[in-house]
Amino acid sequence: MARTVIFEKTGGPEVLTLVDRPVGAPGPGEIRIRHEAVGLNFIDCYQRSGLYPMELPARLGREAAGVVEAVGEGVTHLKPGDRAAYAAAVTGAYCEEWVMPAAQVCPLPEGISFEEGAAMMLKGMTVEYLFHRTTPLKAGDTVLFHAAAGGVGLIACQWAKSEGITLIGTAGSDAKCQLARAHGADHVINYNTEDFAARVDEITGGKGVDVVMDSVGASTWEGSLACLKPLGMMVSFGSSSGPVPAFTLAALAGKSLKVTRPTLFTHISRSETCQEMARHLFDKVLSGAVTIRIDQRFPLEEVRAAHEALEARKTTGSTVLTV
């Protein structure tokens, strides 16, 4: 039996319940993994609230790290006793132990802790595909990155710095702006006290940015489009303030803008690509180019408090559940 977080109806953090559930043995292509730490992400809140519908009762969590307990037939890249971490298309990581598909589970290098592994896989591989797989980026390009003091944002700030990309980061307080700057953002904007589009125009001398990377959604959409230079790329990869409002293609025509809505889970659907992306991320961390900042830790039984902090925007960096 393993302690497992479930919810039987959608709603606020109060719908999350901790229960004991049987684990079982892995089948073909599966592993059984015992968690040491579990990562939290905004997608967990979207699913719990019903914004992203799930069949109920349901489980949450797509990111964790721990030790492989058993492997099923056909699994060759992992063995019992291996340290491992993952971001997975299936949900259910909010637990002590479970059986899951092995394809997106990656061997975790010894130089990276379990908490770092749990905090970095979904967020770090998101940055990897944003910078290397969504649109070509090169040294000298300029990127506007919203929520630059969050778990994804702080990795993005460091990643950009390591590759000579100018990053303009936005955040919701002066303290968060300072945090983003300390992690490599070249410019920072407090979007609660400044018009970020006007500041971007000032910073870029009226040229605009090559790419906007926006996980905020509704409240930043129009301003983000205004920040782009002609032929620029708008990358919408989340909606923490609500879904992006409906728009017409004509809204893009003035500057011949491009828009995309990628997801990590499309990129990691092939195991080979997932493993390649993870190795790239691990190399960044082991080289010291990227440090994984974990600012909040909650025991598994305090999962409701963790969700409350996440939704209230009281968090910086990454948040993990300890198991």
Side-chain angles (χ1 to χ4, degrees):
M1 304 293 285
R3 292 187 304 160
T4 303
V5 176
I6 68 167
F7 63 105
E8 298 181 321
K9 62 180 180 180
T10 57
E14 70 280 356
V15 303
L16 300 175
T17 304
L18 195 62
V19 300
D20 288 324
R21 297 190 65 170
V23 179
E30 295 180 331
I31 65 163
R32 188 173 77 241
I33 184 168
R34 173 174 47 82
H35 292 148
E36 297 288 338
V38 177
L40 269 71
N41 296 279
F42 235 99
I43 191 173
D44 306 344
C45 299
Y46 299 156
Q47 292 174 327
R48 186 212 69 230
S49 70
L51 179 62
Y52 290 0
M54 301 177 71
E55 185 177 343
L56 300 175
R59 298 170 57 173
L60 292 176
R62 294 188 170 191
E63 178 180 47
V67 177
V68 177
E69 297 275 276
V71 301
E73 181 183 351
V75 177
T76 58
H77 68 292
L78 295 164
K79 64 182 185 303
D82 280 354
R83 305 170 79 251
Y86 63 85
V90 295
T91 59
Y94 284 19
C95 64
E96 292 177 316
E97 187 174 352
W98 72 322
V99 170
M100 65 175 296
Q104 277 76 49
V105 183
C106 306
L108 183 66
E110 287 290 342
I112 300 174
S113 72
F114 287 119
E115 286 194 356
E116 289 171 326
M120 71 190 283
M121 296 300 288
L122 190 150
K123 303 169 190 68
M125 289 198 292
T126 293
V127 175
E128 203 275 352
Y129 85 69
L130 288 172
F131 279 78
H132 293 276
R133 300 170 192 271
T134 303
T135 188
L137 285 174
K138 61 185 183 302
D141 285 346
T142 301
V143 172
L144 173 63
F145 203 101
H146 289 297
V152 176
L154 292 183
I155 295 174
C157 290
Q158 298 172 82
W159 203 294
K161 180 65 70 175
S162 75
E163 300 194 352
I165 295 165
T166 298
L167 187 141
I168 303 170
T170 73
S173 70
D174 290 342
K176 288 187 175 183
C177 284
Q178 292 171 8
L179 185 61
R181 188 184 292 279
H183 282 74
D186 295 279
H187 307 274
V188 291
I189 303 169
N190 182 341
Y191 56 71
N192 282 323
T193 60
E194 300 180 272
D195 179 334
F196 73 82
R199 280 286 290 126
V200 167
D201 188 67
E202 179 184 335
I203 290 166
T204 63
K207 295 179 181 178
V209 299
D210 298 284
V211 180
V212 175
M213 297 180 178
D214 188 348
S215 63
V216 178
S219 65
T220 52
W221 175 256
E222 290 188 8
S224 293
L225 291 180
C227 290
L228 286 165
K229 63 173 54 173
L231 306 179
M233 169 69 86
M234 174 68 187
V235 183
S236 175
F237 69 102
S239 50
S240 61
S241 70
V244 169
F247 67 99
T248 66
L249 290 177
L252 311 177
K255 293 189 285 187
S256 298
L257 301 178
K258 301 179 285 282
V259 175
T260 185
R261 190 10 177 136
T263 70
L264 172 64
F265 304 110
T266 305
H267 285 280
I268 65 173
S269 60
R270 292 183 66 254
S271 181
E272 296 83 356
T273 303
C274 178
Q275 302 294 328
E276 176 185 298
M277 292 170 66
R279 286 192 295 270
H280 193 180
L281 172 60
F282 295 152
D283 288 345
K284 285 283 187 184
V285 173
L286 292 171
S287 72
V290 171
T291 299
I292 306 302
R293 182 178 176 122
I294 303 169
D295 287 343
Q296 298 80 214
R297 295 170 173 83
F298 295 85
L300 183 64
E301 57 269 23
E302 293 181 15
V303 62
R304 293 179 180 178
H307 271 236
E308 289 169 359
L310 196 63
E311 286 191 306
R313 299 180 184 273
K314 294 180 179 179
T315 65
T316 54
S318 295
T319 302
V320 297
L321 300 172
T322 55
V323 182

